[in-house]
Amino acid sequence: MISINRLSIHFTGTDLFSDVSFMINTRDRIGLTGKNGSGKTTLLNIIAGELLPQEGEVIMPNGTRLGYLPQEKETNSEFTVYDEALNAFAEIHELEQQMEKLSMEIANRTDYESKEYENLIHKLSDANERFQMIGGDTMEADTEKVLAGLGFKRSDLKRPVNEFSSGWQMRVELAKILLSKPDVVLLDEPTNHLDIESIQWLEEFLKTYPGAVVMVSHDRAFLDAVTKRTIEISNGKIYDYKAGYTEYIKMREERLGLQKALHTNQQKEIKEIERFIERFRYKNTKAKQVQSRIKMLDKMEEIEIDDMDKSAIHFRFPPAPRSGKVVIDAEGLSKSYGDLNVLSSIGFSIIKNDKVAFVGKNGEGKTTLSRIIMNELDYTGVLKYGHNIQIGYFAQNQGDFLDPDKTVFETLDDIAAGDIRKQVRNILGAFLFSGDTIDKKVKVLSGGEKSRLAIAKLLLTPVNLLILDEPTNHLDMQSKDILKSALLQFDGTLIIVSHDRDFLQGLTNKVFEFRDRKIKEYLGDIYDFLYFRKLQTLKELEQKKKTLGEKEENKSVNKLNWEQRKQRDRELRKVKNQIAKSEENIEELEKKIQKMDAILADPDKYKDTMDYDKLSVEYQSLNTDLENEMGRWEEFHSKLEGFE
């Protein structure tokens, strides 16, 4: 479909690409990979036509439509979310106008046998066929479906786009690309602004997308779920693998091993040729052979071993100070921002050495609760800390809190105390700050460098409760693995907010799901949670409330570990008790209403002993209470059906 032909581009005297060629075929699912600065984003910009190469060309058929989502984009639209998303259907609107114009022309003609009339009929037919193919009849339903899949509530659809954060505005841009159904979708780090549910929805959408998809991502699980082909950029060249990311890693190691063996053999051959030339250079009888070998060396193309980026942060957290058994205990905790209620009467406990993942849609209160625990926000309700709790905190925008006028070294040295001051340079070196880089001002650091520096600050003071809010956003895959390894060895209590499933896998033993102003606790790691919630496919996401069949239930029970079965049984007993209590309340309310019905049916009998105005208010209140209790009873029964 698209041919990238002999592409070359140079920055500051260095070849970013050199004579690169490959094809993007219909329905390809391509992941672009390579070390930081290898040119992945540049390549996407060239394919999208936003950057011109110095050599080579990108060839595509006329009419090929591209959809490109960069990492960041300024939108600030004043349209509502729904109306902005509808802008994706520009082609449909044009087709509607075209079909209306053609229909009027046809209606006004009487030369039914002419060639011109036949051409008009064909044009109308072609326009109508295209209209149907790109969803002209379903664009409103498709718009709501895609926006819901990307995490927007129905109440959000009529809000102006510029009321939302930049992350949510990027979701609108992604929705417009998906709705416009381009022939090729180009995505640069599309999961950066998505939560786990939205990422899973996007995975399922892209798997069945009728066009080609080319993406850059540091989310290993996302790449494995979507891509079937990996193009690696290394040393200005590309290597094309017909495999997803994990399989590509294995194939790359095999390629590098073969490359190293070929390089070794070639170097051995070169030395033998050079020894022959040196030995017989001045012998007339060997002149012909010497010249032949000199030409052979000149023509020989040296095999290069790809320079793999081995740099990555490497560290361990200091030992955690002793703490009490209960780290945090909350009851009836609530938080509102004006009229917006984020957390409503939640309760939970975190025990010493718990490793807890906070998951849920953006805006459901994960960061809010993290900041409440850090005592950065006020709240209502009760939040108690255990004995000797010492907290370390990494915020999503932690880099913004660093003093921009301090150097990298000063940032750590100014707060280091005692023996740790002697280790500041070693700590910075572990986070890739060495030599002249430690004298850089914070204000000139990249986002990734600021994040690394902020994580390094956590090592200066031993803590026993570590709270990390999206710590991997600016880290490459190798550095994420090092951070995960350090967290696995951390001997304190951990709370981590993240949407990266591969990073969370095996890291936590509990999951707190934030939904509808409440939190629900699940035992196990992120994939246990996803299995429990049946969120592994879009179909299961849309039908999560559907009652499971007996066979599926038996299968799920067998797979749940002992702790999960215990939790399930505890929740089942709780729901049954709630139903029983609700039925008692309903019976009591109905008895009171029956007594009042008897009084109201014969007012003359009680006219001297009753205040009918007061009675009427009480009667109305009882009926309201009964209606509310019936609603609660139905809600409890829905939960019970979910278990059964």
Side-chain angles (χ1 to χ4, degrees):
M1 178 188 294
I2 297 181
S3 175
I4 289 79
N5 190 25
R6 308 198 70 174
L7 208 65
S8 294
I9 194 164
H10 321 280
F11 286 143
T12 62
T14 304
D15 285 342
L16 197 58
F17 308 127
S18 179
D19 203 29
V20 164
S21 299
F22 64 95
M23 294 283 294
I24 300 174
N25 303 304
T26 306
R27 294 191 63 82
D28 260 345
R29 300 290 184 270
I30 300 173
L32 288 179
T33 187
K35 66 181 183 181
N36 291 339
S38 61
K40 302 183 292 294
T41 294
T42 300
L43 183 55
L44 286 184
N45 281 328
I46 291 172
I47 297 172
E50 298 193 359
L51 182 66
L52 293 176
Q54 280 135 347
E55 297 176 33
E57 56 186 346
V58 177
I59 304 171
M60 63 184 75
N62 290 334
T64 300
R65 296 176 305 116
L66 302 177
Y68 178 37
L69 183 76
Q71 288 189 38
E72 300 291 342
K73 184 177 181 180
E74 290 291 333
T75 54
N76 204 34
S77 170
E78 296 181 358
F79 287 110
T80 65
V81 169
Y82 183 73
D83 289 339
E84 180 66 26
L86 284 178
N87 287 336
F89 298 101
E91 185 183 2
I92 288 178
H93 299 319
E94 290 175 4
L95 285 169
E96 285 178 326
Q97 295 176 3
Q98 183 182 349
M99 289 190 296
E100 184 178 353
K101 182 179 178 181
L102 288 169
S103 296
M104 289 181 63
E105 285 189 46
I106 291 171
N108 292 329
R109 297 184 74 117
T110 56
D111 52 339
Y112 308 122
E113 304 297 329
S114 68
K115 190 69 174 178
E116 291 79 2
Y117 187 87
E118 185 178 347
N119 288 338
L120 287 174
I121 295 292
H122 283 308
K123 286 182 181 179
L124 180 59
S125 176
D126 291 343
N128 187 61
E129 184 178 341
R130 176 65 182 169
F131 180 84
Q132 299 294 331
M133 187 178 74
I134 62 176
D137 290 331
T138 60
M139 65 178 182
E140 294 182 352
D142 290 344
T143 300
E144 291 193 17
K145 181 179 178 181
V146 169
L147 289 172
L150 292 175
F152 288 95
K153 298 177 181 177
R154 183 173 289 274
S155 57
D156 293 331
L157 302 188
K158 297 303 178 184
R159 289 175 56 194
V161 172
N162 56 17
E163 284 187 3
F164 290 84
S165 68
S166 59
W168 282 94
Q169 291 185 35
M170 289 299 291
R171 293 193 193 204
V172 178
E173 292 302 306
L174 176 57
K176 287 162 62 177
I177 289 171
L178 301 181
L179 288 168
S180 64
K181 299 179 182 177
D183 302 304
V184 181
V185 176
L186 306 173
L187 304 174
D188 196 353
E189 296 290 0
T191 63
N192 276 0
H193 308 291
L194 302 180
D195 49 65
I196 288 177
E197 289 187 20
S198 298
I199 290 172
Q200 290 187 307
W201 179 89
L202 182 60
E203 282 178 2
E204 297 301 323
F205 187 96
L206 294 178
K207 283 179 186 178
T208 59
Y209 187 73
V213 179
V214 183
M215 70 172 71
V216 175
S217 178
H218 285 137
D219 188 327
R220 185 184 283 109
F222 183 68
L223 286 171
D224 276 335
V226 177
T227 62
K228 303 297 181 186
R229 182 180 167 196
T230 303
I231 293 179
E232 177 192 11
I233 305 173
S234 178
N235 287 340
K237 302 175 184 176
I238 66 155
Y239 298 90
D240 200 340
Y241 298 85
K242 301 298 187 288
Y245 185 82
T246 298
E247 188 63 27
Y248 140 74
I249 292 295
K250 297 177 184 176
M251 296 169 70
R252 181 188 64 177
E253 293 303 320
E254 293 173 0
R255 172 176 67 81
L256 292 175
L258 177 61
Q259 195 179 68
K260 187 174 181 180
L262 292 172
H263 175 78
T264 301
N265 291 336
Q266 187 187 58
Q267 291 302 308
K268 184 179 179 181
E269 182 183 359
I270 289 172
K271 287 180 180 178
E272 289 176 355
I273 294 172
E274 287 175 341
R275 277 199 299 268
F276 182 91
I277 294 172
E278 191 64 29
R279 182 177 180 184
F280 299 110
R281 181 185 296 273
Y282 303 108
K283 290 193 176 184
N284 293 331
T285 56
K286 297 288 187 179
K288 189 173 182 181
Q289 291 93 321
V290 168
Q291 289 301 315
S292 174
R293 281 165 173 75
I294 290 174
K295 290 179 181 178
M296 184 186 299
L297 278 180
D298 290 339
K299 291 180 180 179
M300 187 178 292
E301 185 175 343
E302 186 174 354
I303 297 172
E304 295 180 352
I305 300 177
D306 289 333
D307 179 25
M308 300 306 297
D309 186 11
K310 299 296 183 182
S311 60
I313 58 176
H314 189 78
F315 68 100
R316 292 186 66 171
F317 288 99
R322 291 177 62 86
S323 68
K325 184 176 180 181
V326 177
V327 175
I328 297 174
D329 188 48
E331 185 176 349
L333 192 151
S334 299
K335 173 61 183 175
S336 297
Y337 297 96
D339 295 332
L340 178 62
N341 184 218
V342 179
L343 299 171
S344 177
S345 191
I346 63 172
F348 63 92
S349 293
I350 295 178
I351 309 302
K352 180 181 178 180
N353 294 330
D354 269 348
K355 304 293 190 288
V356 184
F358 282 5
V359 303
K361 294 182 178 179
N362 294 348
E364 291 284 352
K366 303 184 296 295
T367 296
T368 294
L369 182 56
S370 301
R371 294 183 64 195
I372 287 174
I373 295 172
M374 281 298 299
N375 203 26
E376 291 184 355
L377 295 175
D378 58 359
Y379 58 91
T380 59
V382 178
L383 180 67
K384 297 178 181 177
Y385 300 91
H387 172 68
N388 193 37
I389 299 304
Q390 299 173 38
I391 305 176
Y393 180 50
F394 178 91
Q396 284 190 48
N397 58 339
Q398 190 69 43
D400 296 339
F401 295 106
L402 301 173
D403 188 335
D405 293 319
K406 286 185 177 180
T407 66
V408 169
F409 179 79
E410 289 170 346
T411 299
L412 265 61
D413 188 60
D414 287 356
I415 60 174
D419 292 339
I420 197 72
R421 291 199 69 178
K422 301 174 184 177
Q423 302 179 40
V424 167
R425 290 183 183 274
N426 291 335
I427 292 172
L428 288 172
F431 284 83
L432 311 184
F433 295 107
S434 59
D436 294 339
T437 59
I438 68 171
D439 296 321
K440 278 185 176 181
K441 295 281 189 181
V442 169
K443 60 187 174 185
V444 303
L445 299 180
S446 67
E449 289 172 326
K450 288 179 181 177
S451 291
R452 296 204 308 269
L453 185 58
I455 295 175
K457 284 183 65 178
L458 293 175
L459 304 188
L460 300 182
T461 307
V463 299
N464 47 34
L465 173 58
L466 191 57
I467 304 174
L468 305 178
D469 192 352
E470 299 289 1
T472 65
N473 271 358
H474 297 288
L475 300 182
D476 59 29
M477 290 189 183
Q478 191 177 5
S479 296
K480 285 197 297 184
D481 289 341
I482 300 297
L483 174 59
K484 182 174 179 177
S485 177
L487 291 174
L488 286 168
Q489 297 174 65
F490 176 59
D491 59 352
T493 305
L494 174 67
I495 296 173
I496 184 162
V497 182
S498 179
H499 62 257
D500 190 325
R501 292 155 298 168
D502 181 74
F503 181 73
L504 288 175
Q505 184 180 19
L507 189 56
T508 61
N509 65 338
K510 286 184 180 179
V511 174
F512 282 7
E513 182 192 18
F514 289 66
R515 180 183 289 267
D516 298 328
R517 301 180 299 282
K518 299 288 186 181
I519 62 172
K520 185 174 181 180
E521 180 180 333
Y522 297 84
L523 298 178
D525 80 348
I526 188 65
Y527 281 99
D528 293 321
F529 160 71
L530 293 176
Y531 178 82
F532 194 89
R533 278 292 312 276
K534 301 298 178 185
L535 293 177
Q536 292 171 327
T537 67
L538 177 61
K539 183 177 180 182
E540 288 168 340
L541 175 62
E542 292 175 337
Q543 298 178 351
K544 59 183 179 294
K545 294 183 179 179
K546 181 179 178 181
T547 303
L548 299 176
E550 182 178 350
K551 182 177 179 181
E552 290 175 323
E553 175 66 351
N554 290 337
K555 181 180 178 182
S556 67
V557 170
N558 289 335
K559 288 195 175 182
L560 292 175
N561 60 34
W562 180 83
E563 288 184 323
Q564 289 172 309
R565 291 202 303 273
K566 186 176 179 181
Q567 175 184 329
R568 178 189 178 281
D569 293 338
R570 185 165 59 247
E571 292 178 346
L572 181 59
R573 286 195 300 273
K574 181 180 176 181
V575 171
K576 287 182 176 179
N577 290 336
Q578 288 172 326
I579 290 174
K581 180 65 176 175
S582 182
E583 288 175 347
E584 289 177 6
N585 292 341
I586 290 171
E587 186 177 355
E588 185 177 345
L589 287 167
E590 287 178 338
K591 286 179 180 178
K592 290 180 180 179
I593 291 172
Q594 284 177 355
K595 285 184 180 180
M596 287 196 175
D597 284 337
I599 295 171
L600 293 172
D602 192 1
D604 293 334
K605 184 177 179 180
Y606 303 94
K607 64 182 179 180
D608 296 328
T609 58
M610 291 292 173
D611 182 347
Y612 280 90
D613 289 336
K614 183 177 179 182
L615 184 66
S616 177
V617 172
E618 289 178 359
Y619 184 80
Q620 186 175 357
S621 177
L622 284 171
N623 277 282
T624 301
D625 290 344
L626 178 61
E627 184 178 345
N628 291 337
E629 193 61 39
M630 290 294 291
R632 283 163 51 83
W633 182 85
E634 290 178 2
E635 181 181 336
F636 295 146
H637 260 282
S638 295
K639 289 183 180 179
L640 182 62
E641 289 173 3
F643 281 108
E644 296 175 348

